[in-house]
Amino acid sequence: MEFDKVIKTRRSVRKYKADEIPEQYISEILEAARLAPSGLNLQPWRYAVLKDKNIINNVAKIIQSSVAASAPVLIVCCADTKVFESTGERVRELYEAGAFSVEEVQKFASNDLIANSMNEFMLRASMAFNAAISIEHIALKATDLGLGSCWLQPMQFDREKIREIINLDSRYDILCFMTIGYADEQTEVRPRLPLNELLTGSQLCDGF
Ligand SMILES: Cc1cc2nc3c(=O)[nH]c(=O)nc-3n(C[C@H](O)[C@H](O)[C@H](O)COP(=O)(O)O)c2cc1C
């Protein structure tokens, strides 16, 4: 699908058909997630792809989501809290790929640099920030394949119960959930703020 069409036709779909999603589509969606950019190329995103209806229903119950219960595929989107331990390796790879200079490699060579220069809140925010790009790639690729998706970010839920059900190690923070499936509803375009309300500061473009 043409890029503009993907951007303009993606919608949050909250009701799905029971039809199975081809494995090839799931692979393509995960590949799109894998290719997302991230600070220092740390790639903190991790995914648990749920396809078993019983497991999806159990998770849907815990997060109290009828949207999740309706989806044939539910992706638990996580961030690896230990990803900073691989900073040196990631930065070296960037150097080898011609993206970073020797000076940058030297600056970021220590695996502790990031962890030591940010507090816990900033570290978690940074991981979520990076992971969100990859998670949105999932939604965009799903649209490209003719599938619907919806971000789900429940305010409060029993994370430990989800961990037990999907056998998730404590190093992975659960950030949100993404539903995938064939839409079983018509979706209209959702409202957005006009561009002039998004532009701030004194350097506004002509015409806004
Ligand atoms: C970070 C994030 C969290 C969201 N959480 C939920 C959610 O918990 N439940 C839900 O139904 N939709 C959720 N959404 C979908 C938004 O409500 C939706 O993107 C917004 O209303 C615009 O509609 P559209 O996606 O169809 O363009 C979330 C979206 C994002 C990006």
Side-chain angles (χ1 to χ4, degrees):
M1 199 185 279
E2 194 206 338
F3 182 72
D4 267 4
K5 195 168 177 206
V6 172
I7 295 284
K8 286 180 178 159
T9 58
R10 185 214 52 80
R11 306 255 183 286
S12 294
V13 170
R14 297 187 172 88
K15 201 166 168 241
Y16 297 94
K17 295 179 181 160
D19 301 9
E20 243 180 70
I21 311 300
E23 273 304 314
Q24 175 61 24
Y25 281 11
I26 296 174
S27 300
E28 288 183 38
I29 285 169
L30 294 175
E31 179 63 3
R34 191 180 75 86
L35 294 178
S38 53
L40 295 176
N41 207 21
L42 286 177
Q43 307 160 68
W45 45 80
R46 300 291 181 269
Y47 298 106
V49 182
L50 311 182
K51 294 178 246 178
D52 182 300
K53 203 61 210 168
N54 286 328
I55 297 180
I56 291 177
N57 284 339
N58 284 340
V59 171
K61 230 179 255 167
I62 293 165
I63 64 172
Q64 298 180 15
S65 170
S66 57
V67 182
S70 140
V73 172
L74 182 65
I75 303 181
V76 187
C77 307
C78 307
D80 183 356
T81 58
K82 298 208 186 288
V83 81
F84 295 100
E85 291 173 12
S86 56
T87 307
E89 205 181 329
R90 296 287 87 81
V91 169
R92 264 193 307 280
E93 286 168 355
L94 286 177
Y95 169 71
E96 281 157 18
F100 267 19
S101 65
V102 176
E103 291 73 36
E104 279 160 323
V105 176
Q106 284 162 351
K107 187 169 146 197
F108 294 112
S110 158
N111 283 339
D112 301 328
L113 180 79
I114 309 276
N116 290 341
S117 54
M118 287 198 226
N119 63 32
E120 182 69 16
F121 173 79
M122 284 166 71
L123 281 173
R124 283 176 188 263
S126 166
M127 280 188 300
F129 188 74
N130 282 290
I133 302 169
S134 168
I135 298 166
E136 182 61 5
H137 276 202
I138 291 178
L140 295 175
K141 187 63 196 177
T143 305
D144 183 44
L145 294 169
L147 294 163
S149 65
C150 189
W151 285 72
L152 297 175
Q153 194 181 31
M155 293 291 166
Q156 278 185 334
F157 61 94
D158 189 337
R159 287 183 149 72
E160 288 315 309
K161 270 197 189 151
I162 305 269
R163 281 186 194 292
E164 270 170 41
I165 291 175
I166 66 170
N167 197 18
L168 186 71
D169 193 282
S170 60
R171 72 183 275 167
Y172 305 115
D173 259 356
I174 300 173
L175 299 175
C176 67
F177 303 82
M178 183 67 90
T179 53
I180 306 281
Y182 291 100
D184 195 19
E185 62 173 354
Q186 288 291 330
T187 52
E188 299 303 323
V189 64
R190 274 72 195 243
R192 289 295 190 269
L193 297 172
L195 191 53
N196 63 351
E197 284 190 37
L198 309 183
L199 300 172
T200 61
S202 55
Q203 305 298 314
L204 294 182
C205 311
D206 283 350
F208 291 108

